[in-house]
Amino acid sequence: MAIINKDKKEMRREILLRRNALSADWVNSQSALIVGFLTNWEPFLQAKNVMLYLAMPGEPKIDELILFALENGKQVSVPLLTEKFGYMESAAITGLQDLKTGKLNLRVPDPEKITIVDPGSLDLILVPAVAFDLNGNRLGMGAGYYDRFLTQASKACTLGVAWSFQIVPFVAAEEHDVPVQYVITEEKITICSKGKM
């Protein structure tokens, strides 16, 4: 176990260094490609209740996808971290005005403007990560928020979102890890071998 954790720690460090060095212009232009793929992707178009995410620095930006989903009548929610470390909920928003600036200057849903959504009602979840492999295994930030949440969202289609350099040959999976069914980058959408629908 110590070796697995050491490998994950080193992989996380190397990929985050590369992600943090991306220029704003590159992130904006490549994020637009990802949003373009998704606004034409049948599983996304058919989904009525979607959980998206609020991009951290260096992650693919999907605000335009949030707006597209809302304009097309979807219920949109985003992660809301709970008081208990490692746990999060799905918070429905009606627009970007339902967000506020939280810790570390990151955007978070405003608890006074949102409604908590049952994870079991979600049709599709976009899952950010530090790295994915093509089995759908993901390397997150290490706190297990998404792994715990995804076990409650059994009917949702899950799509990992990352840059192409974040797709690696192998991510060591542990018993509690939940693989995603698809991965999208600025280049393409891939069906994961473990997570086939």
Side-chain angles (χ1 to χ4, degrees), residues 71-130:
E71 287 164 6
N72 284 273
K74 300 183 189 302
Q75 177 171 283
V76 175
S77 56
V78 295
L80 174 66
L81 304 190
T82 68
E83 299 279 321
K84 188 174 181 182
F85 180 76
Y87 288 84
M88 67 184 191
E89 295 177 309
S90 181
I93 60 172
T94 60
L96 299 179
Q97 73 279 358
D98 291 349
L99 307 176
K100 66 175 189 173
T101 302
K103 292 178 185 175
L104 305 177
N105 212 30
L106 299 175
R107 292 181 305 162
V108 297
D110 185 342
E112 295 182 7
K113 296 183 178 179
I114 53 90
T115 305
I116 300 302
V117 174
D118 174 9
S121 70
L122 295 167
D123 300 317
L124 183 141
I125 302 172
L126 264 56
V127 183
V130 176

Side-chain angles (χ1 to χ4, degrees), residues 140-192:
M141 296 299 288
Y145 284 99
Y146 273 93
D147 289 315
R148 291 185 185 91
F149 185 84
L150 291 175
T151 60
Q152 305 171 62
S154 56
K155 79 165 193 167
C157 171
T158 54
L159 174 71
V161 186
W163 305 121
S164 54
F165 68 81
Q166 295 175 271
I167 308 304
V168 298
F170 176 73
V171 173
E174 298 171 52
E175 194 175 330
H176 62 271
D177 293 334
V178 179
V180 295
Q181 296 164 332
Y182 300 86
V183 173
I184 185 171
T185 69
E186 73 281 10
E187 296 177 352
K188 60 185 175 181
I189 298 175
T190 303
I191 300 175
C192 298

